[in-house]
Amino acid sequence: MASTVTSDSLVYDRSRGIGSGGAGGGVNVERVHKYHWPAIQLNVWMLIMLIAACTIIGVFATFIDVQNILLLPVPWYFPYFITVSSLTILFIAFLLALIFQRRLLPSIVMIGGFILFVLWLVGLIVISVQLWGPNGSVNSSCNLFVFGADPQPTGQNLVTLAWLEQRSICQSWYAVFSFALVGTVFLVWIMVIAYQVFADDRR
């Protein structure tokens, strides 16, 4: 990742002062601000966010394909979370580009992190309602028809195959909820890291 280049980032702020004496005698004064980023924490954050975003994209893309095969309408939050996760990957790629150019600013991370935090929080709330809601939730259906099946199907037949597919779908829902929660928390964490980097530079 960026372990060799994220220990600091340089930002240049130039100001010009007028020297005394002859006409037009000016002096260029260059001030260099160096932001010290915790490389390990930044790499861990990017890795976890990439895993979370890619998992959600993969699961919901599969769900959309299943909905289309079954000729069922696609819920709006499937493409919504795919879009949000894709934006997260693009944001991480943008951060990596800034890191390699040594131009990573805390303000960019805080603003981008906050925007993504709001988008992820909306997705997390929707997924929570669908998974744990009071009326016909995914969790209640899974507990009733899949995990609560007694006896559970066995053997090489279509019934067992259908039950395994249903169990896979239920587990995918739990995985999406878990990664959505982790992604939301990690976006708060990166904003805290960015603020700490900015605060340390002000001391």
Side-chain angles (χ1 to χ4, degrees):
M1 298 292 289
S3 58
T4 60
V5 293
T6 56
S7 58
D8 55 65
S9 178
L10 297 182
V11 181
Y12 298 95
D13 181 17
R14 292 188 177 182
S15 60
R16 172 170 295 183
I18 303 299
S20 59
V27 177
N28 288 332
V29 179
E30 184 180 85
R31 295 180 300 173
V32 180
H33 293 283
K34 180 178 294 187
Y35 295 102
H36 295 275
W37 289 89
I40 295 178
Q41 296 180 27
L42 198 58
N43 285 335
V44 169
W45 180 83
M46 288 189 289
L47 178 62
I48 298 300
M49 289 303 300
L50 282 175
I51 293 174
C54 291
T55 300
I56 292 174
I57 290 174
V59 170
F60 278 164
T62 302
F63 283 0
I64 290 176
D65 184 57
V66 171
Q67 294 290 108
N68 291 331
I69 292 175
L70 297 176
L71 301 180
L72 295 174
V74 176
W76 66 269
Y77 47 86
F78 287 177
Y80 170 82
F81 227 146
I82 289 177
T83 303
V84 172
S85 299
S86 300
L87 289 175
T88 303
I89 295 175
L90 291 177
F91 179 66
I92 293 174
F94 176 64
L95 293 184
L96 285 173
L98 292 178
I99 288 171
F100 287 120
Q101 295 176 9
R102 307 176 76 84
R103 296 291 188 273
L104 184 59
L105 292 173
S107 57
I108 295 177
V109 177
M110 285 190 285
I111 294 173
F114 178 76
I115 294 173
L116 289 176
F117 167 75
V118 174
L119 296 175
W120 277 73
L121 183 60
V122 172
L124 177 62
I125 293 174
V126 174
I127 296 303
S128 301
V129 171
Q130 298 298 321
L131 187 57
W132 312 102
N135 298 320
S137 66
V138 174
N139 181 64
S140 61
S141 299
C142 288
N143 288 334
L144 181 62
F145 300 109
V146 181
F147 301 119
D150 188 23
Q152 293 183 350
T154 57
Q156 301 180 19
N157 51 66
L158 292 179
V159 175
T160 303
L161 184 62
W163 180 81
L164 290 173
E165 180 65 24
Q166 289 176 329
R167 188 180 68 172
S168 176
I169 292 174
C170 292
Q171 292 172 340
S172 296
W173 270 99
Y174 295 134
V176 166
F177 172 78
S178 300
F179 280 110
L181 179 60
V182 169
T184 304
V185 173
F186 267 58
L187 285 168
V188 175
W189 184 40
I190 195 61
M191 288 188 287
V192 172
I193 293 176
Y195 176 78
Q196 289 176 342
V197 169
F198 176 76
D200 291 342
D201 178 70
R202 300 288 292 180
R203 294 175 183 175

